[in-house]
Each structure stands twice: as C-alpha cells, then as structure tokens.
Amino acid sequence: QVQVVESGGGLVQAGGSLRLSCAASGRIFTIVSMAWYRQAPARSGRDLVASITSSGTTTYADSVKGRFTISRDNAKNTVYLQMNSLKPEDTAVYYCKVGVNAWGKGTLVTISL
C-alpha cells in the first residue's frame, strides 16, 4: 500500500495562517494527482478543497479561492496546502488523497474566534 501522512494541523485563530503537508511513500510508480479534502463537524462527508495534477494544474473549491494555495514537490512526493485568512468555517479534519485510492488518516484543523 501507499502510505500517506499528513502533518501541520492544529489550533489557530481566525485570520491566521497554517500550512499542511502530505508526504506519500511506498509503491508509487508514477506521478499522480494529489488533493486535499476536508470533513467539517456538521458535514456528512468529505468535500474537495483543492487538487493538483501531475502537470501542476490546480483546482479549488469556491469557498477557498484566493485564500488557499496547493503546491507539490514531485521529488519528495509531497503536497502542501497553504491556508491564509482562515475562518471558523474552515474547521475540519483535512485529508490528503494521492492518486485515486490512497488516503491519509487526516489532520485536525481548528480555527478559533
């Protein structure tokens, strides 16, 4: 299996910034897309936050456009999510997805008032 490990979650006040990292290891034989999803406390499932293809094409949920930036370091098989101007509604467990079926365990991001 591919191992996916997120880091960087924590508690931050509204308006602050946080950077999440996701490192993939194991049997990865091709450069694949990577993405960040999140599940808020009141939500029933995971919502796509941002994704980045092997060629660097990015997509963002409307709710985070202009505030979040996804990037990747292909040499390290690592994807980052820079989160700025954080809002209480950004509070969620953030999950990293590598390719089509490899998920991390999630990292909790809590935005205080």
XYZ file of all heavy atoms in Angstrom:
840
model
N 0.820 -1.187 0.000
C 0.000 0.000 0.000
C 0.868 1.255 0.000
O 1.989 1.245 0.477
C -0.916 0.028 1.218
C -1.938 -1.082 1.262
C -2.844 -0.968 2.482
O -2.661 -0.101 3.332
N -3.808 -1.863 2.561
N 0.296 2.308 -0.528
C 0.935 3.611 -0.468
C 0.616 4.214 0.890
O -0.540 4.220 1.323
C 0.434 4.531 -1.596
C 1.001 5.937 -1.435
C 0.815 3.952 -2.948
N 1.627 4.715 1.562
C 1.426 5.377 2.839
C 1.309 6.881 2.630
O 2.113 7.480 1.915
C 2.573 5.077 3.796
C 2.682 3.615 4.186
C 3.768 3.378 5.203
O 3.548 3.547 6.413
N 4.936 2.994 4.727
N 0.315 7.473 3.255
C 0.056 8.897 3.134
C -0.018 9.468 4.538
O -0.844 9.032 5.348
C -1.251 9.171 2.375
C -1.489 10.674 2.243
C -1.215 8.513 0.998
N 0.825 10.434 4.829
C 0.896 11.003 6.167
C 0.785 12.514 6.104
O 1.626 13.174 5.493
C 2.202 10.612 6.883
C 2.241 11.220 8.279
C 2.332 9.100 6.956
N -0.249 13.051 6.747
C -0.439 14.490 6.827
C 0.229 15.043 8.081
O 0.372 14.337 9.082
C -1.930 14.857 6.859
C -2.740 14.340 5.677
C -3.501 13.080 6.001
O -3.080 12.341 6.924
O -4.531 12.822 5.344
N 0.580 16.306 8.025
C 1.119 16.991 9.183
C 0.809 18.475 9.062
O 0.493 18.963 7.982
C 2.631 16.766 9.319
O 3.329 17.301 8.210
N 0.901 19.176 10.170
C 0.722 20.611 10.159
C -0.587 21.110 10.727
O -0.775 22.324 10.857
N -1.492 20.211 11.064
C -2.754 20.637 11.637
C -2.565 21.172 13.045
O -1.522 20.992 13.665
N -3.587 21.843 13.527
C -3.519 22.392 14.861
C -4.579 23.441 15.083
O -5.549 23.541 14.333
N -4.381 24.220 16.122
C -5.309 25.283 16.500
C -4.734 26.629 16.108
O -3.587 26.941 16.435
C -5.566 25.236 18.009
C -6.428 26.339 18.609
C -7.854 26.240 18.074
C -6.416 26.242 20.126
N -5.528 27.425 15.416
C -5.097 28.755 15.005
C -6.289 29.697 15.081
O -7.434 29.281 14.892
C -4.488 28.720 13.583
C -5.536 28.330 12.551
C -3.851 30.052 13.229
N -6.025 30.955 15.356
C -7.106 31.922 15.458
C -7.561 32.395 14.083
O -6.817 32.333 13.102
C -6.668 33.125 16.301
C -5.511 33.917 15.732
C -5.110 35.067 16.631
O -5.969 35.725 17.232
N -3.820 35.324 16.729
N -8.795 32.849 14.022
C -9.337 33.371 12.770
C -8.447 34.477 12.221
O -7.972 35.332 12.964
C -10.755 33.880 12.986
N -8.242 34.445 10.911
C -7.368 35.401 10.262
C -5.936 34.944 10.147
O -5.143 35.560 9.424
N -5.599 33.879 10.834
C -4.247 33.368 10.814
C -3.977 32.461 9.638
O -4.812 32.276 8.751
N -2.792 31.870 9.648
C -2.355 31.004 8.560
C -1.843 29.680 9.091
O -1.411 29.571 10.245
C -1.239 31.686 7.750
O -1.685 32.878 7.139
N -1.891 28.699 8.227
C -1.428 27.372 8.574
C -1.008 26.678 7.287
O -1.628 26.892 6.244
C -2.539 26.583 9.266
C -2.172 25.384 10.148
C -1.325 25.832 11.327
C -3.443 24.697 10.635
N 0.014 25.861 7.358
C 0.446 25.098 6.196
C 0.413 23.609 6.502
O 1.060 23.143 7.444
C 1.858 25.491 5.746
C 2.282 24.792 4.447
C 3.670 25.205 3.983
N 4.721 24.712 4.867
C 6.022 24.868 4.641
N 6.430 25.516 3.555
N 6.912 24.392 5.493
N -0.333 22.885 5.705
C -0.415 21.446 5.833
C 0.539 20.785 4.843
O 0.732 21.272 3.733
C -1.837 20.951 5.567
C -2.968 21.558 6.400
C -4.290 20.901 6.030
C -2.681 21.421 7.884
N 1.109 19.673 5.259
C 1.985 18.900 4.393
C 1.468 17.476 4.310
O 0.880 16.959 5.264
C 3.417 18.889 4.927
O 3.962 20.185 4.971
N 1.694 16.853 3.184
C 1.288 15.473 2.971
C 2.400 14.765 2.223
O 2.718 15.126 1.089
C -0.015 15.418 2.178
S -0.474 13.772 1.604
N 2.971 13.762 2.854
C 4.057 13.003 2.259
C 3.582 11.604 1.908
O 3.016 10.904 2.749
C 5.245 12.930 3.209
N 3.814 11.208 0.677
C 3.441 9.881 0.210
C 4.686 9.017 0.063
O 5.720 9.477 -0.419
C 2.700 9.964 -1.122
N 4.563 7.781 0.469
C 5.676 6.849 0.341
C 5.137 5.458 0.037
O 3.943 5.202 0.143
C 6.520 6.819 1.614
O 5.758 6.379 2.723
N 6.028 4.580 -0.349
C 5.618 3.232 -0.697
C 5.719 2.991 -2.184
O 6.566 3.575 -2.864
N 4.830 2.156 -2.675
C 4.881 1.753 -4.074
C 4.151 2.752 -4.961
O 3.010 2.540 -5.357
C 4.315 0.351 -4.240
C 5.161 -0.706 -3.540
C 4.717 -2.103 -3.870
N 5.613 -3.091 -3.290
C 5.531 -4.394 -3.492
N 4.574 -4.878 -4.261
N 6.390 -5.212 -2.912
N 4.857 3.823 -5.248
C 4.363 4.833 -6.176
C 5.254 4.778 -7.404
O 6.437 5.116 -7.337
C 4.389 6.237 -5.556
C 3.577 6.267 -4.264
C 3.853 7.256 -6.548
C 3.666 7.572 -3.525
N 4.693 4.353 -8.500
C 5.472 4.150 -9.707
C 5.241 5.199 -10.786
O 5.858 5.156 -11.843
C 5.185 2.761 -10.285
C 5.452 1.654 -9.314
C 4.411 0.932 -8.757
C 6.751 1.340 -8.962
C 4.653 -0.083 -7.859
C 7.014 0.326 -8.058
C 5.966 -0.390 -7.508
N 4.357 6.112 -10.516
C 4.079 7.174 -11.457
C 3.686 8.436 -10.696
O 3.256 8.369 -9.544
C 2.955 6.776 -12.426
O 2.779 7.789 -13.416
C 1.645 6.590 -11.671
N 3.866 9.552 -11.327
C 3.444 10.814 -10.737
C 1.939 10.939 -10.946
O 1.457 10.921 -12.075
C 4.179 11.998 -11.366
C 5.685 11.873 -11.134
C 3.655 13.310 -10.784
C 6.503 12.941 -11.833
N 1.218 11.045 -9.850
C -0.232 11.083 -9.906
C -0.751 12.385 -9.319
O -0.009 13.160 -8.727
C -0.850 9.897 -9.153
C -0.424 8.594 -9.819
C -0.430 9.904 -7.689
N -2.039 12.588 -9.481
C -2.649 13.773 -8.906
C -2.701 13.660 -7.387
O -2.699 12.568 -6.818
C -4.051 13.972 -9.467
O -4.888 12.887 -9.107
N -2.753 14.801 -6.740
C -2.866 14.855 -5.294
C -3.928 15.882 -4.944
O -4.143 16.832 -5.690
C -1.532 15.235 -4.641
C -0.409 14.251 -4.908
S 1.124 14.724 -4.047
C 2.208 13.392 -4.574
N -4.571 15.679 -3.823
C -5.662 16.564 -3.463
C -5.833 16.637 -1.957
O -5.412 15.744 -1.215
C -6.965 16.106 -4.112
N -6.471 17.704 -1.527
C -6.871 17.872 -0.139
C -8.387 17.894 -0.060
O -9.046 18.606 -0.825
C -6.319 19.172 0.453
C -4.852 19.137 0.736
C -3.849 19.603 -0.057
C -4.222 18.611 1.906
N -2.631 19.408 0.543
C -2.832 18.795 1.753
C -4.699 18.009 3.078
C -1.906 18.390 2.729
C -3.784 17.603 4.033
C -2.409 17.794 3.853
N -8.924 17.126 0.852
C -10.341 17.109 1.164
C -10.504 17.492 2.628
O -9.553 17.445 3.411
C -10.942 15.725 0.943
C -11.086 15.297 -0.500
C -9.978 14.954 -1.262
C -12.348 15.219 -1.096
C -10.106 14.550 -2.582
C -12.487 14.811 -2.414
C -11.366 14.478 -3.151
O -11.514 14.076 -4.460
N -11.723 17.840 3.003
C -11.975 18.111 4.407
C -13.385 17.682 4.781
O -14.282 17.645 3.950
C -11.767 19.593 4.746
C -12.780 20.551 4.119
C -12.377 21.994 4.412
N -13.326 22.951 3.857
C -13.152 24.264 3.863
N -12.047 24.791 4.396
N -14.076 25.069 3.337
N -13.534 17.337 6.039
C -14.833 16.992 6.582
C -15.069 17.844 7.820
O -14.393 17.678 8.839
C -14.922 15.509 6.932
C -16.297 15.092 7.425
C -16.466 13.584 7.498
O -15.514 12.833 7.334
N -17.688 13.148 7.725
N -16.008 18.753 7.705
C -16.361 19.619 8.818
C -17.247 18.864 9.802
O -17.887 17.872 9.443
C -17.074 20.866 8.304
N -17.301 19.327 11.049
C -18.094 18.615 12.065
C -19.545 18.385 11.684
O -20.104 17.339 12.006
C -17.978 19.534 13.285
C -16.669 20.227 13.109
C -16.561 20.469 11.634
N -20.161 19.346 10.999
C -21.573 19.243 10.652
C -21.827 18.660 9.268
O -22.974 18.621 8.816
C -22.232 20.617 10.760
N -20.798 18.219 8.612
C -20.939 17.673 7.270
C -20.966 16.153 7.299
O -20.369 15.515 8.163
C -19.797 18.157 6.376
C -19.728 19.664 6.211
C -20.853 20.182 5.347
N -20.675 19.786 3.958
C -21.529 20.062 2.968
N -22.641 20.732 3.235
N -21.272 19.668 1.736
N -21.646 15.580 6.325
C -21.806 14.130 6.274
C -20.671 13.407 5.566
O -20.540 12.191 5.689
C -23.130 13.783 5.591
O -23.148 14.260 4.261
N -19.870 14.149 4.820
C -18.789 13.530 4.084
C -17.661 14.489 3.795
O -17.666 15.633 4.251
N -16.707 14.006 3.038
C -15.548 14.808 2.697
C -15.784 15.647 1.447
O -16.306 15.151 0.453
C -14.342 13.891 2.472
C -13.973 13.068 3.688
C -12.849 12.099 3.386
N -12.590 11.223 4.528
C -11.664 10.275 4.562
N -10.884 10.076 3.509
N -11.511 9.530 5.646
N -15.379 16.899 1.510
C -15.516 17.820 0.390
C -14.144 18.149 -0.175
O -13.184 18.342 0.563
C -16.199 19.115 0.824
C -17.596 18.899 1.364
O -18.350 18.125 0.752
O -17.937 19.518 2.389
N -14.075 18.230 -1.484
C -12.818 18.590 -2.140
C -12.469 20.038 -1.828
O -13.292 20.933 -1.997
C -12.931 18.394 -3.650
C -11.705 18.793 -4.475
C -10.524 17.892 -4.147
C -12.017 18.735 -5.967
N -11.241 20.260 -1.397
C -10.744 21.595 -1.103
C -9.885 22.105 -2.253
O -10.076 23.217 -2.747
C -9.930 21.615 0.200
C -9.349 23.005 0.453
C -10.800 21.173 1.370
N -8.922 21.310 -2.661
C -8.014 21.690 -3.735
C -7.359 20.447 -4.298
O -7.179 19.451 -3.596
C -6.946 22.667 -3.235
N -6.997 20.509 -5.558
C -6.307 19.399 -6.190
C -5.238 19.932 -7.122
O -5.302 21.077 -7.574
C -7.282 18.499 -6.960
O -7.845 19.190 -8.059
N -4.278 19.085 -7.403
C -3.207 19.450 -8.320
C -2.818 18.225 -9.122
O -2.619 17.141 -8.584
C -1.995 20.051 -7.558
C -0.919 20.518 -8.534
C -1.434 19.060 -6.538
C 0.130 21.410 -7.873
N -2.747 18.380 -10.432
C -2.419 17.273 -11.305
C -0.913 17.087 -11.390
O -0.132 17.872 -10.862
C -2.973 17.489 -12.714
O -2.257 18.561 -13.345
C -4.456 17.828 -12.675
N -0.510 16.031 -12.082
C 0.903 15.759 -12.257
C 1.613 16.859 -13.029
O 2.824 17.047 -12.866
C 1.099 14.421 -12.974
O 0.484 14.429 -14.245
N 0.874 17.583 -13.851
C 1.454 18.664 -14.632
C 1.378 20.016 -13.926
O 1.878 21.012 -14.447
C 0.783 18.761 -15.999
O -0.594 19.049 -15.868
N 0.733 20.051 -12.762
C 0.668 21.276 -11.999
C -0.614 22.065 -12.120
O -0.715 23.164 -11.562
N -1.593 21.540 -12.824
C -2.875 22.219 -12.942
C -3.640 22.121 -11.626
O -3.785 21.033 -11.070
C -3.709 21.617 -14.070
O -3.000 21.732 -15.308
C -5.045 22.334 -14.202
N -4.121 23.242 -11.142
C -4.787 23.276 -9.845
C -6.263 23.604 -9.967
O -6.695 24.279 -10.906
C -4.138 24.310 -8.920
O -4.218 25.610 -9.526
C -2.674 23.972 -8.673
N -7.026 23.114 -9.008
C -8.427 23.462 -8.870
C -8.700 23.738 -7.401
O -8.041 23.182 -6.520
C -9.365 22.342 -9.362
O -9.117 21.143 -8.618
C -9.151 22.058 -10.838
N -9.686 24.604 -7.155
C -10.029 24.974 -5.795
C -11.532 25.034 -5.621
O -12.267 25.397 -6.542
C -9.453 26.343 -5.432
C -7.951 26.418 -5.432
C -7.255 26.807 -6.571
C -7.228 26.103 -4.288
C -5.870 26.878 -6.574
C -5.841 26.170 -4.280
C -5.170 26.555 -5.419
O -3.796 26.621 -5.413
N -11.973 24.693 -4.431
C -13.360 24.934 -4.088
C -13.590 26.436 -4.026
O -12.694 27.199 -3.639
C -13.695 24.299 -2.737
N -14.776 26.868 -4.408
C -15.071 28.298 -4.410
C -14.852 28.926 -3.033
O -14.437 30.086 -2.931
C -16.509 28.540 -4.858
C -16.714 28.296 -6.343
O -15.719 28.292 -7.096
O -17.873 28.114 -6.752
N -15.109 28.181 -1.988
C -15.015 28.716 -0.641
C -13.592 29.043 -0.199
O -13.406 29.765 0.779
C -15.648 27.735 0.358
O -14.989 26.483 0.318
N -12.596 28.522 -0.913
C -11.212 28.751 -0.500
C -10.394 29.501 -1.536
O -9.222 29.815 -1.291
C -10.493 27.435 -0.145
C -11.289 26.657 0.893
C -10.259 26.585 -1.392
N -10.972 29.801 -2.684
C -10.248 30.519 -3.727
C -9.749 31.859 -3.207
O -10.485 32.602 -2.567
C -11.140 30.733 -4.950
C -11.383 29.482 -5.772
C -12.250 29.777 -6.989
C -12.474 28.526 -7.816
N -13.367 28.776 -8.973
N -8.491 32.144 -3.489
C -7.886 33.382 -3.038
C -7.293 33.309 -1.656
O -6.569 34.227 -1.249
N -7.596 32.238 -0.919
C -7.084 32.094 0.440
C -6.134 30.909 0.587
O -5.170 30.980 1.345
C -8.231 31.938 1.440
C -9.191 33.118 1.473
C -10.174 32.996 2.631
N -11.010 31.804 2.517
C -11.055 30.826 3.426
N -10.306 30.901 4.520
N -11.858 29.782 3.245
N -6.432 29.827 -0.125
C -5.619 28.610 -0.028
C -4.809 28.425 -1.307
O -5.257 28.785 -2.400
C -6.499 27.374 0.157
C -7.201 27.279 1.488
C -7.212 28.326 2.391
C -7.862 26.101 1.826
C -7.864 28.231 3.610
C -8.520 25.983 3.043
C -8.521 27.046 3.937
N -3.640 27.831 -1.166
C -2.797 27.517 -2.305
C -2.265 26.101 -2.173
O -1.669 25.753 -1.148
C -1.613 28.494 -2.429
O -2.096 29.836 -2.547
C -0.777 28.158 -3.662
N -2.484 25.295 -3.188
C -1.960 23.940 -3.198
C -0.710 23.906 -4.075
O -0.646 24.555 -5.118
C -3.014 22.925 -3.689
C -2.511 21.489 -3.509
C -3.415 23.189 -5.135
C -3.584 20.427 -3.760
N 0.278 23.163 -3.645
C 1.513 23.022 -4.406
C 2.078 21.637 -4.158
O 1.628 20.916 -3.262
C 2.529 24.105 -4.024
O 2.887 24.007 -2.656
N 3.052 21.258 -4.959
C 3.638 19.936 -4.793
C 5.126 19.957 -5.084
O 5.626 20.796 -5.835
C 2.940 18.907 -5.701
C 3.086 19.164 -7.195
C 2.186 18.230 -8.001
N 2.606 16.837 -7.903
C 1.849 15.798 -8.251
N 0.607 15.997 -8.686
N 2.330 14.566 -8.135
N 5.816 19.024 -4.469
C 7.227 18.802 -4.704
C 7.332 17.364 -5.184
O 7.287 16.425 -4.385
C 8.039 19.020 -3.427
C 9.532 18.884 -3.646
O 9.956 18.225 -4.611
O 10.294 19.453 -2.839
N 7.437 17.193 -6.482
C 7.425 15.851 -7.052
C 8.617 15.003 -6.604
O 8.498 13.786 -6.458
C 7.391 15.926 -8.579
C 6.062 16.418 -9.104
O 5.029 16.262 -8.459
N 6.073 17.016 -10.286
N 9.762 15.636 -6.389
C 10.942 14.896 -5.954
C 10.739 14.274 -4.577
O 11.326 13.240 -4.260
C 12.166 15.804 -5.950
N 9.898 14.903 -3.762
C 9.641 14.414 -2.413
C 8.292 13.719 -2.276
O 7.941 13.271 -1.186
C 9.708 15.565 -1.412
C 11.061 16.249 -1.327
C 11.028 17.380 -0.313
C 12.374 18.061 -0.198
N 12.351 19.177 0.788
N 7.550 13.635 -3.373
C 6.193 13.078 -3.334
C 5.379 13.721 -2.217
O 4.705 13.046 -1.436
C 6.224 11.557 -3.163
C 6.654 10.839 -4.420
O 6.335 11.261 -5.534
N 7.376 9.742 -4.256
N 5.452 15.022 -2.167
C 4.814 15.780 -1.111
C 3.915 16.859 -1.694
O 4.277 17.512 -2.679
C 5.861 16.426 -0.192
O 6.670 15.401 0.406
C 5.205 17.229 0.917
N 2.761 17.034 -1.085
C 1.840 18.090 -1.473
C 1.607 18.983 -0.262
O 1.575 18.510 0.881
C 0.512 17.516 -2.018
C -0.222 16.705 -0.952
C -0.375 18.626 -2.561
N 1.446 20.265 -0.512
C 1.251 21.237 0.546
C -0.059 21.978 0.343
O -0.550 22.121 -0.769
C 2.390 22.257 0.566
C 3.765 21.653 0.669
C 4.513 21.390 -0.478
C 4.326 21.336 1.903
C 5.777 20.834 -0.388
C 5.590 20.781 1.993
C 6.310 20.528 0.848
O 7.568 19.974 0.938
N -0.600 22.458 1.432
C -1.759 23.326 1.379
C -1.490 24.517 2.284
O -1.500 24.389 3.512
C -3.034 22.600 1.826
C -4.332 23.401 1.675
C -4.648 23.629 0.193
C -5.494 22.693 2.360
N -1.218 25.653 1.669
C -1.017 26.888 2.410
C -2.375 27.533 2.617
O -3.063 27.856 1.651
C -0.081 27.829 1.650
C 0.144 29.173 2.330
C 0.886 29.048 3.643
O 1.902 28.364 3.727
N 0.383 29.695 4.683
N -2.752 27.731 3.857
C -4.060 28.266 4.193
C -3.882 29.615 4.871
O -3.276 29.707 5.940
C -4.825 27.304 5.101
C -4.964 25.900 4.522
S -6.008 24.815 5.535
C -4.980 24.660 7.000
N -4.407 30.646 4.250
C -4.337 32.000 4.779
C -5.739 32.531 5.057
O -6.729 31.999 4.560
C -3.621 32.932 3.794
C -2.202 32.525 3.504
O -1.492 32.018 4.380
N -1.754 32.756 2.273
N -5.801 33.592 5.838
C -7.078 34.229 6.170
C -8.106 33.205 6.630
O -9.247 33.172 6.165
C -7.606 35.014 4.961
O -6.681 36.000 4.553
N -7.699 32.377 7.548
C -8.547 31.282 7.997
C -9.801 31.783 8.703
O -9.777 32.788 9.411
C -7.757 30.352 8.908
C -6.765 29.454 8.168
C -5.727 28.892 9.134
C -7.504 28.325 7.467
N -10.882 31.055 8.482
C -12.180 31.376 9.041
C -12.667 30.220 9.907
O -12.254 29.079 9.709
C -13.197 31.625 7.920
C -12.792 32.689 6.918
C -13.798 32.764 5.775
C -13.416 33.819 4.764
N -14.384 33.884 3.634
N -13.554 30.492 10.856
C -14.079 29.400 11.684
C -14.686 28.267 10.859
O -14.587 27.098 11.258
C -15.146 30.094 12.541
C -14.644 31.483 12.670
C -14.035 31.805 11.323
N -15.293 28.577 9.725
C -15.890 27.546 8.890
C -14.865 26.650 8.206
O -15.232 25.656 7.575
C -16.837 28.158 7.846
C -16.219 29.275 7.030
C -16.578 30.655 7.564
O -16.522 30.847 8.796
O -16.922 31.535 6.756
N -13.585 26.987 8.313
C -12.533 26.119 7.796
C -12.208 24.984 8.759
O -11.445 24.080 8.408
C -11.260 26.917 7.516
C -11.427 27.926 6.398
O -12.075 27.600 5.380
O -10.899 29.052 6.529
N -12.759 25.037 9.956
C -12.532 23.982 10.933
C -13.003 22.646 10.380
O -14.153 22.501 9.965
C -13.261 24.290 12.245
O -12.695 25.454 12.846
C -13.149 23.125 13.216
N -12.110 21.686 10.358
C -12.427 20.379 9.782
C -11.244 19.448 9.964
O -10.143 19.877 10.320
C -12.756 20.508 8.287
N -11.491 18.188 9.706
C -10.406 17.236 9.552
C -10.006 17.269 8.090
O -10.848 17.077 7.214
C -10.812 15.812 9.968
C -9.667 14.838 9.705
C -11.201 15.781 11.439
N -8.754 17.527 7.825
C -8.254 17.618 6.465
C -7.557 16.321 6.073
O -6.700 15.822 6.804
C -7.287 18.799 6.322
C -7.989 20.133 6.273
C -8.593 20.654 7.414
C -8.074 20.855 5.085
C -9.267 21.862 7.367
C -8.738 22.070 5.036
C -9.335 22.574 6.182
O -9.998 23.780 6.130
N -7.946 15.800 4.917
C -7.418 14.536 4.424
C -6.658 14.752 3.126
O -7.096 15.490 2.253
C -8.541 13.533 4.164
C -9.344 13.148 5.380
C -10.471 13.872 5.754
C -8.979 12.049 6.147
C -11.217 13.518 6.864
C -9.716 11.687 7.260
C -10.839 12.426 7.614
O -11.578 12.070 8.708
N -5.553 14.064 2.999
C -4.763 14.092 1.781
C -5.067 12.850 0.959
O -5.111 11.740 1.490
C -3.276 14.151 2.122
S -2.170 14.149 0.687
N -5.282 13.041 -0.335
C -5.525 11.945 -1.255
C -4.438 11.931 -2.313
O -4.153 12.948 -2.935
C -6.896 12.096 -1.915
C -7.248 10.984 -2.886
C -8.594 11.260 -3.547
C -8.958 10.196 -4.548
N -10.233 10.507 -5.241
N -3.847 10.781 -2.516
C -2.801 10.609 -3.517
C -3.313 9.638 -4.562
O -3.704 8.515 -4.235
C -1.505 10.082 -2.883
C -0.447 9.849 -3.953
C -0.996 11.054 -1.827
N -3.317 10.069 -5.805
C -3.867 9.237 -6.855
C -5.357 9.069 -6.668
O -6.054 9.988 -6.218
N -5.854 7.889 -6.969
C -7.291 7.655 -6.910
C -7.760 6.943 -5.658
O -8.959 6.959 -5.356
C -7.770 6.876 -8.150
C -7.498 7.669 -9.417
C -7.105 5.505 -8.228
N -6.849 6.325 -4.908
C -7.321 5.494 -3.807
C -6.459 5.473 -2.546
O -6.701 4.663 -1.650
C -7.514 4.052 -4.285
C -6.235 3.433 -4.810
O -5.171 4.038 -4.752
N -6.344 2.226 -5.327
N -5.475 6.333 -2.439
C -4.619 6.359 -1.257
C -4.944 7.587 -0.410
O -4.812 8.721 -0.877
C -3.151 6.362 -1.661
N -5.349 7.341 0.829
C -5.765 8.402 1.741
C -4.925 8.402 3.008
O -4.516 7.358 3.499
C -7.224 8.228 2.153
C -8.220 8.424 1.062
C -8.655 7.495 0.173
C -8.935 9.622 0.774
N -9.585 8.034 -0.663
C -9.792 9.346 -0.320
C -8.950 10.899 1.325
C -10.638 10.293 -0.871
C -9.791 11.855 0.788
C -10.625 11.551 -0.295
N -4.715 9.591 3.548
C -4.108 9.696 4.852
C -5.158 9.546 5.934
O -6.356 9.420 5.659
N -4.730 9.569 7.172
C -5.639 9.425 8.305
C -6.328 10.730 8.665
O -7.306 10.721 9.413
C -4.889 8.897 9.526
C -4.289 7.513 9.332
C -5.367 6.463 9.129
C -4.752 5.069 9.026
N -5.784 4.030 8.780
N -5.823 11.830 8.165
C -6.406 13.130 8.422
C -5.676 13.884 9.513
O -5.055 13.296 10.395
N -5.759 15.194 9.444
C -5.191 16.061 10.464
C -6.221 17.131 10.808
O -6.847 17.708 9.922
C -3.854 16.680 9.997
O -3.274 17.433 11.060
C -4.037 17.575 8.780
N -6.416 17.354 12.083
C -7.462 18.268 12.535
C -6.983 19.708 12.520
O -5.930 20.036 13.074
C -7.915 17.886 13.946
C -8.972 18.783 14.594
C -10.267 18.754 13.789
C -9.221 18.348 16.031
N -7.779 20.550 11.888
C -7.539 21.986 11.865
C -8.704 22.658 12.576
O -9.854 22.494 12.177
C -7.419 22.518 10.429
C -7.351 24.043 10.415
C -6.193 21.925 9.748
N -8.399 23.407 13.619
C -9.425 24.094 14.389
C -9.147 25.586 14.373
O -8.060 26.022 14.745
C -9.461 23.594 15.838
O -9.697 22.184 15.858
C -10.564 24.298 16.616
N -10.128 26.353 13.937
C -9.996 27.802 13.872
C -10.827 28.414 14.986
O -12.051 28.257 15.027
C -10.452 28.354 12.507
C -9.825 27.544 11.354
C -10.103 29.836 12.394
C -8.318 27.506 11.367
N -10.175 29.115 15.870
C -10.854 29.739 16.998
C -11.277 31.157 16.649
O -10.744 31.785 15.731
C -9.951 29.741 18.228
O -8.789 30.522 18.004
N -12.214 31.675 17.428
C -12.702 33.034 17.209
C -11.721 34.069 17.719
O -10.913 33.806 18.599
C -14.062 33.215 17.889
C -15.209 32.353 17.356
C -16.448 32.542 18.206
C -15.493 32.700 15.901
